[in-house]
Amino acid sequence: MSETKIKLCGLSRPCDIETANALRPDFIGFIFAPKSKRYVAPERAAALRALLDPGIRAVGVFVREEPEKVAELLRLGVIDIAQLHGGESEEYIARLRTMTDRPIIKAFRVDGPEDIAAARASGADYVLLDSGAGGTGTSFDWSLIRSLDRPYFLAGGLDTENVRPAVEALRPYAVDVSSGIETDGLKDPAKMERFVARARTADREETTQ
């Protein structure tokens, strides 16, 4: 069984990148939604990306952004993957694909089985399952996921306490955390380290059983 990947989202400071470089998650995320408290301007994201270990992929999180702007950040190498978090349509995804061949993650708010059905049918490369607008720190009913037969990022309410049971129970393609590794609204290096360690511990124990 493949190891669950880790995404640390909402990084906004050089010290956040320094911690990520030490922990080596598979992905980090920059938030490009202006209404988010974790928003970073493209110029700042480019400066932060320059500090990032090249072995870690950068994901850009967008909410109803013009696809041309998304494609430009991918073209410039500020990000490697686009994550769409604003209810973007299949037509939007198709249009973005005409501008870039980079991977696309589509986020879905999970309230019921119909949301899992929509995620299954998505034309994105990956889907992300969340409990709301993102970064809210609340989880959803994980039992709804068990019928999903495609790779997904598990988000929504993950933290240092529940990431291990989540990985053990669901074996998602990746776990995605933002507010769960913060203290007073800022990324907490100790929580980042604990989250990564517990996610990886769950994987190691699975492979030895």
Side-chain angles (χ1 to χ4, degrees):
M1 185 174 292
S2 60
E3 188 172 282
T4 297
K5 300 184 185 302
I6 298 169
K7 176 167 170 268
L8 305 179
C9 201
L11 277 57
S12 61
R13 303 173 297 168
C15 59
D16 299 339
I17 301 296
E18 182 179 349
T19 301
N21 287 342
L23 297 175
R24 297 299 300 271
D26 302 276
F27 311 94
I28 62 94
F30 296 130
I31 309 296
F32 293 111
K35 292 183 178 180
S36 172
K37 63 184 179 182
R38 302 176 184 89
Y39 169 75
V40 292
E43 297 78 14
R44 181 168 180 80
L48 293 171
R49 174 59 193 261
L51 303 174
L52 185 67
D53 186 300
I56 302 172
R57 288 183 284 177
V59 179
V61 180
F62 302 92
V63 175
R64 295 183 291 277
E65 182 58 86
E66 290 295 325
E68 291 81 3
K69 294 182 179 179
V70 177
E72 179 71 357
L73 289 173
L74 289 163
R75 186 187 68 79
L76 293 173
V78 176
I79 55 173
D80 304 298
I81 301 169
Q83 178 178 319
L84 309 178
H85 225 294
E88 290 84 358
S89 66
E90 287 298 305
E91 289 76 16
Y92 180 103
I93 292 174
R95 184 179 172 194
L96 182 57
R97 286 204 187 280
T98 67
M99 304 175 192
T100 180
D101 59 358
R102 298 296 184 90
I104 298 170
I105 304 169
K106 176 70 177 71
F108 290 85
R109 173 176 174 167
V110 179
D111 291 317
E114 66 280 2
D115 302 306
I116 299 300
R120 182 182 293 111
S122 174
D125 298 283
Y126 300 97
V127 294
L128 181 145
L129 307 180
D130 205 347
S131 56
T136 60
T138 57
S139 59
F140 60 91
D141 182 0
W142 291 344
S143 68
L144 294 168
I145 306 175
R146 298 189 185 280
S147 64
L148 185 60
D149 52 0
R150 63 176 296 176
Y152 64 89
F153 285 69
L154 179 65
L158 291 179
D159 57 29
T160 59
E161 298 303 315
N162 65 11
V163 65
R164 180 172 171 175
V167 172
E168 290 173 342
L170 300 171
R171 296 291 156 187
Y173 172 76
V175 287
D176 187 328
V177 65
S178 185
S179 61
I181 49 172
E182 292 178 348
T183 298
D184 297 329
L186 296 173
K187 292 296 181 282
D188 182 324
K191 289 182 179 179
M192 294 168 74
E193 181 178 6
R194 199 175 308 130
F195 184 93
V196 170
R198 290 182 176 175
R200 288 176 175 159
T201 296
D203 268 321
R204 285 197 298 270
E205 291 188 353
E206 173 71 13
T207 58
T208 58
Q209 291 177 0

